[in-house]
Amino acid sequence: MNTTEAGGAVEAVWRMESARIVGALARYTGDFPLAEDLAQEAVAEALVSWSVDGVPAQPAGWLLTVGRRRAIDFFRRRAARDERYAVLARGLDAEEPGADALFDPEAIDDDVLALMFISCHPVLSKEARIALTLRVVGGLGSAEIAKAFLVPVATIQARITRAKKTLAAARVPFVVPAPHELAGRLGSVLQVIYLIFTEGSFASGGEEWIRTELASEARRLARVLVRLTPEPEAFGLLALLELTAARFPARLDASGHPVLLEDQDRQLWDRSAIRRGRAALARAVAAGRGLGAYGLQASIAECHAVAPSVAGTDWARIVLLYDALGRLAPSPIIELNRAVAVAMASGPADGLALADAIAARGELAGSHLLPAVRGELLSRLGRRDEARSALRAAIELCGNAAERAALDRKVDGVGRP
């Protein structure tokens, strides 16, 4: 096997098994930052060894064994300074029976769940949580994460390094939060997965409007989470991601240009994703606790998914769902989305009044979304000059090239029959 083939094999194993590998090493060493470093060292050794000896029969076990042996070496070097490490090193000694059996069949799920909660720990910044989650739970490399978020590789590496140092300084234990802590901590995990998906489905910058690989990674993380902790809001998030991603195949035309909802060919929507999303939403509803913010957004997405057309959409129900969402998680973005729904349900004048109220309060001043919505509603009301002005303001604020091009076409189309 040559170096390229070995690299591909290592990458594939790492993408599938990284969370279990890092989680198992963290459980055995009691040190999450160290476990991530040990796993990376094992990967580096695999790149050399597998190109010579081929891929082992149990590649994940091979990486775990190498990581464990590196841990033994590390702890023995420190043993002279701290007897605790000497004890741990003896406990991990390679001569002991079963020393290579690092996977406890009863603990694997807990390992991955603990890893997710640590990667999304509240002591870390939002940016650090995203980078660390994609690295240690998603198995993405620094270059992949940097490309996805349009930042230099060095920036991502620095975030990950700072995150591990912060976790070490805060002495965050490698454990699944206790039941009474779970609800509060789960929100952080859900938020990180949602932010990753949002950046994938509506890229904030760059040339692409949709980054399907990033959105797919968020869906994979959400599926892992509901298997490990089947909380209603986790199912609500999974439902939202599946129902939103179902529209991806219709959101770009053959030339890669964005296609708005009213112009999409609904025959292209992914029916399998819609079924998965509706099933996940049903699980959230069946819990009988009332839907949270993600579940309510999933219900809105479901309204779109089952509608035969924009005109045939139950906009009155969507307005009610936005009312509930606004009370539960108030934000100007939710208000703006509600304004769009009101415009569809009651007419553009009513929607514009709500959008103008948001503008009057000075909210969303730096976002292209508000002038884009105002431009669309002004156009529908026949106020063409104002519509063009609003759309041009949206273009100036928009950071994504594909979306800017779509807004340009809207400007050109204002006033056409």
Side-chain angles (χ1 to χ4, degrees), residues 35-52:
E36 214 271 328
D37 290 342
L38 294 171
Q40 291 297 321
E41 290 179 18
V43 166
E45 186 169 328
L47 290 171
V48 176
S49 179
W50 294 7
S51 64
V52 176

Side-chain angles (χ1 to χ4, degrees), residues 19 22-28 30-32 35 107 110-116 118 171-176:
V22 176
L25 289 171
R27 171 164 48 87
Y28 272 75
D31 187 329
F32 163 68
D110 282 351
D111 287 347
V112 179
L113 185 57
L115 197 62
M116 295 186 81
I118 287 176
R171 298 182 181 276
V172 174
F174 185 79
V175 294
V176 176

